[in-house]
Amino acid sequence: MSNFKVTLNSKLTVVSSRPVSSGKSHILSALDHSLGYHSLHIIFYYENEDNLFESFDLDPLRESLSEVLTLYPTVTGRLARVLNHDFEFKCNDAGVRVIKATVDTTLRQWLSSASGSQEKLLIAWDDMPHDPETWSPFRIQINSFEGGGVAIGLSCSHMVADLTCAASFFKSWTEAHSHIPITHPPSFTPLPNHPNAHSLPPYAPTSSPITRTMATATFKFSDSIIKQCLSKVNDTCPNATPFDFLSALFWTRIARLKPPKSHDKTHSLSICTDFRNLLKASLPTGYFGNALHFSMLTHNVDEPMESAHLGGIVSLVHKHLEGLREEEIWSNVEWLKSQELRSTNCMYGPELTCVCMEHLMSEKDHDQSLLYAAMFNNKERPAHVSCRVGNVEGEGLIMVMPSSEGGLARTVMVMVAEEELAELRKDEAILQLEPTIFLADCVVDN
C-alpha cells in the first residue's frame, strides 16, 4: 500500500444564490429515521482534462453550486429535533460545508495503488452531534491530484438522502454548471400514508450486530465478461441482470467462508432495492429522501453453498426481486412508523447486505447511468465513481453499481471482515472473471 498524503487546505460555506423563504421546513419520514445510523458517501473522479477545477473559491464552479442550491433548500438547511426524538429540516440556508484538499500523487496512481481505507481521506465527514443546530448534514470535499485530476466527495447523513437522491443532486450541479435544463429536479412531496398496510416487513433489524474489523476492495468486471456470465446461466435464468449474477456470485463465495447461521442450514442475504420505479404511482427520480426497501432472501442448503449450482442462486435472486410487490413495500414503511426505529439501528450488515443499483442505468441508453452522466461543462464523464455507506457492521456489504465502461460492465464494492476479504481476493471463482481489483485494503492472510 502506498503512503499517499491528502492535505486539507481550506474550508468554506456555500449558500444558495437566492434566499430561502423564512420558516420553511421539511419533515423526515420513518424510513428516513430508520437509516440515521448510517452516512452516505459518493466520490466522483475526473481526469480534469479541461482544468475545470482550478480555483473553486471564485470561479463558475462555486457559482453554479450556489445556483443549484436554490432548488435544494434542505441541502443548505440544518436538522432540528422535534417530538418523539424525530428530526426535521429547518430550511434556513445555513449553507454547505466545502473543503479543498490536495493529494500528493496523480489520479491514475491513486486509483491503482491507494487502499480502500485511504479513500476515506477524500471525503469530509463528522458524525452528527447531539445538538445538530450548526452541523452541516451535507459535505463536499474537492481533492486536487498532481497532474490535474480531481475527486469530488459528496457526503451526507443517510437519514436525509439515499444514493439516488444524492446522485441526482450532484448531476443537477453539473447541469447548472453546463447551463442545461435540470433532468431530475428535486421533489419534496412526502411519502403517502397507507394505513391498511400493516403486515410485518420481511426484514427489520432490532439490535446492532457484533462489530468486526472491516476491510474494503473494489472489483471491476468488463462488459464482455458479464455478457459471457449471463450467457452461461441463460438456461436457468434467461432474464438475469448483472446484479442477479454478481450478487449470487459474491453471496456464494462469502457464504463458503462461514457455516450457516442456524440449525436449519440457511444462508441469508438482505437485498436493498430502490422502490421509486416499483410503485404504481412511481416516485420521481428526484424524490428527496430515502426510497429504499430491505428484503430478506434465504437459501436452504443440505450441503455447502459453494457447491450449489450458481445458475440456481442467480435465478433465486432474480425471482426474489421480480416478486417484490407494492403492498410489501408499504407494509414495511408503515411498520417502521410503528416501531420507532431510530439512529441506533444498523440496517446494513446484521445480515450480509447487497445493494442493487440497476435502476441507475438508463432505459433509453444502456451505456448511460445516472452516476456517470454527471459531466461538468457537459463534456467529461467521471473516470470512476465510488459509493460508500458509513457504519456498516456485522456480516458486511456488497454494492453492485454501474461502471465507467457502460453497458453490462459493473463495479462491485465489497466491505467484509478482514479475513474474509483476504480470501475473496484470491478466490478462483472470482479471479477467473478477470476483474480489475483496486482501492483494496491490504489484509493479513491467515
Side-chain angles (χ1 to χ4, degrees), residues 326-344:
E326 183 167 352
E327 294 75 14
E328 178 184 329
I329 294 170
W330 290 127
S331 291
N332 189 52
V333 172
E334 293 299 323
W335 189 86
L336 288 171
K337 291 180 181 179
S338 68
Q339 297 300 307
E340 297 186 357
L341 289 178
R342 296 299 181 253
S343 59
T344 57

Side-chain angles (χ1 to χ4, degrees), residues 23-54:
K24 190 173 183 179
S25 63
H26 175 68
I27 303 297
L28 300 179
S29 70
L31 177 55
D32 293 332
H33 282 98
S34 73
L35 288 157
Y37 183 68
H38 302 285
S39 54
L40 186 63
H41 314 277
I42 313 177
I43 303 174
F44 295 81
Y45 291 90
Y46 293 91
E47 297 283 359
N48 191 26
E49 296 174 349
D50 293 332
N51 294 319
L52 292 174
F53 310 97
E54 288 301 308

Side-chain angles (χ1 to χ4, degrees), residues 1 10 12 89-90 151 176 180 207 216 224 228 253 261 263 306 336 338 340 401 432:
M1 180 181 69
S10 64
L12 55 91
F89 258 117
K90 296 294 185 182
I180 60 177
S207 61
T216 66
S224 60
Q228 293 176 27
R253 304 321 292 169
K261 294 186 68 175
H263 67 279
E306 62 177 312
L336 288 171
S338 68
E340 297 186 357
M401 60 194 100
Q432 69 179 358

Side-chain angles (χ1 to χ4, degrees), residues 24 145 172 316 391 432:
K24 190 173 183 179
F145 293 87
S172 295
L316 190 68
N391 292 336
Q432 69 179 358

Side-chain angles (χ1 to χ4, degrees), residues 312-327:
I313 306 298
V314 173
S315 180
L316 190 68
V317 173
H318 182 81
K319 290 178 179 177
H320 176 82
L321 290 176
E322 201 173 47
L324 290 179
R325 296 290 179 263
E326 183 167 352
E327 294 75 14

